[in-house]
Amino acid sequence: MSFLSRLLDVRPEHRHPVRVRRDLVIPAADGVRLLADRHFPADVERPPLVLLRSPYGRGNALDQLPALLAERGYQVLYQSLRGTAGSGGDFDGFTIDPADADGTLTWLRRQPWFGDRLATWGASYLGYAQWELAAREIPEWKIAVIQDAPAEFAHRFMYPGGAFALGNALGWVQIVDRMFTGGYSTIRQLPAMAGAARKLRRATLTLPLDEADLTLIGHRVPWHLHLGGRLSLEPPGDDSQPSRYRYDPGDPTPTVGGTAVGLSAGRKDNRRIEARPDVLTFTSDPLPRDTDVIGPVRVRLHARSSIPYVDYFARLCDVSPRGRSTNLCDGIVRLGEPGDVRTADIELWPLAHRFVRGHRIRLQVAGGAHPRFGRNPGTGEAPVAARELRPSSHEIFHDPDRSSAIWLPVFSGAS
């Protein structure tokens, strides 16, 4: 009898002998290999199936959950989401890749032991995985038991009443990081629990707030610019050198399109601008699926300039398979305080856009966007009185200690 049955004193009327098949390989719709365990009663042919999708590992204490169901006559497919517990790909927080469920359903329908009846069950993240599943028409799906996972994830969990649920967010980061670094072993996680509450409290008081993850777990939660113009979820390498450009207000970086007043506003092809030596571009790999971005966009640059009086302009673009780079939103910040490596936080306009599968995400970085924004003369003088123009050299850093990045509000469909 399972531990949970004894603990909760819910002994089944008839206990079925349980068998387990470990590490079943399930191809996601984009080819990523996902792993799952199948728990099933040995004395029942094609019993009803309960699908559990989780980032919390398999072969640990959580195996008691499928065991509880299997001894009652159900078979359970207990799957690890991508980037967790041996499944391929990258884990991306509360953004659940739809290719996981699409491939799993296709694979499941081909299995001789699947009896065309499907249920789902689970709390917290297992509940959010059920909401993501609900984006599809699944005739075999008969019942969903969702616990502690409100459908309005953003407004009910992360921003209830408009306030950021800091403790929830950091508490979850702490728990997941402890599981990942502990190999999903409950025993290995126990030493890390000592002092966990103290670390969490210290992290919640960190200023600025976007460094709270570093205080809590000792490393950044990634979103990143890379040497060579690459934009990726992967953290930068230790040997990453800065990207460089030179800005000359005598030949200011021009701009096309955007939220300007006039007939030149709107979405335009940016390839001519991006070909200039005073414009840096950071571009993602082709997207394996449609990706919806809805909400505020921001960029943080760790930058060194040869003079203190500089502007940093950032623009987000959608790059088609044929190479057309179309502007979506942008923003600019002006710096005037002296310093070595300074932080430029740029608020871009909010966005609601679908990056279609096969397209790429591109970030432009430049020293200005003329004539939409008046050029920075580089002298510290008021722009209306400046008579001198001073060029400047720039370095944009993207190493582990100075990780420049863009934050995109990716909509997963679960909130």
Side-chain angles (χ1 to χ4, degrees), residues 300-322:
R300 165 164 287 188
L301 302 177
H302 293 278
R304 176 189 287 144
S305 58
S306 58
I307 59 176
Y309 307 105
V310 295
D311 291 351
Y312 288 105
F313 175 76
R315 167 170 277 186
L316 179 66
C317 294
D318 184 329
V319 183
S320 73
R322 294 187 176 182

Side-chain angles (χ1 to χ4, degrees), residues 244-248 251-254 273-280 365-368:
R244 298 179 172 90
Y245 69 93
R246 185 176 185 272
Y247 176 74
D248 183 359
D251 179 23
T253 311
I273 303 299
E274 293 169 351
R276 290 176 57 104
D278 56 358
V279 177
L280 299 178
V365 175

Side-chain angles (χ1 to χ4, degrees), residues 101-171:
D102 293 341
T104 298
L105 291 169
T106 299
W107 177 87
L108 190 59
R109 288 166 178 147
R110 295 172 180 167
Q111 305 310 309
W113 41 262
F114 178 48
D116 298 328
R117 287 178 295 167
L118 173 65
T120 56
W121 185 34
S124 188
Y125 205 110
L126 280 71
Y128 289 115
Q130 294 177 70
W131 287 121
E132 192 278 329
L133 197 68
R136 302 157 185 80
E137 182 68 28
I138 307 173
E140 303 94 337
W141 197 5
K142 305 303 181 183
I143 188 171
V145 181
I146 302 175
Q147 177 185 346
D148 299 329
E152 285 286 334
F153 172 75
H155 299 115
R156 300 299 180 190
F157 182 80
M158 280 298 183
Y159 293 92
F164 179 44
L166 176 63
N168 285 344
L170 288 179

Side-chain angles (χ1 to χ4, degrees), residues 84-97:
T84 69
S87 289
D90 296 317
F91 181 63
D92 191 17
F94 278 93
T95 300
I96 303 174
D97 198 308

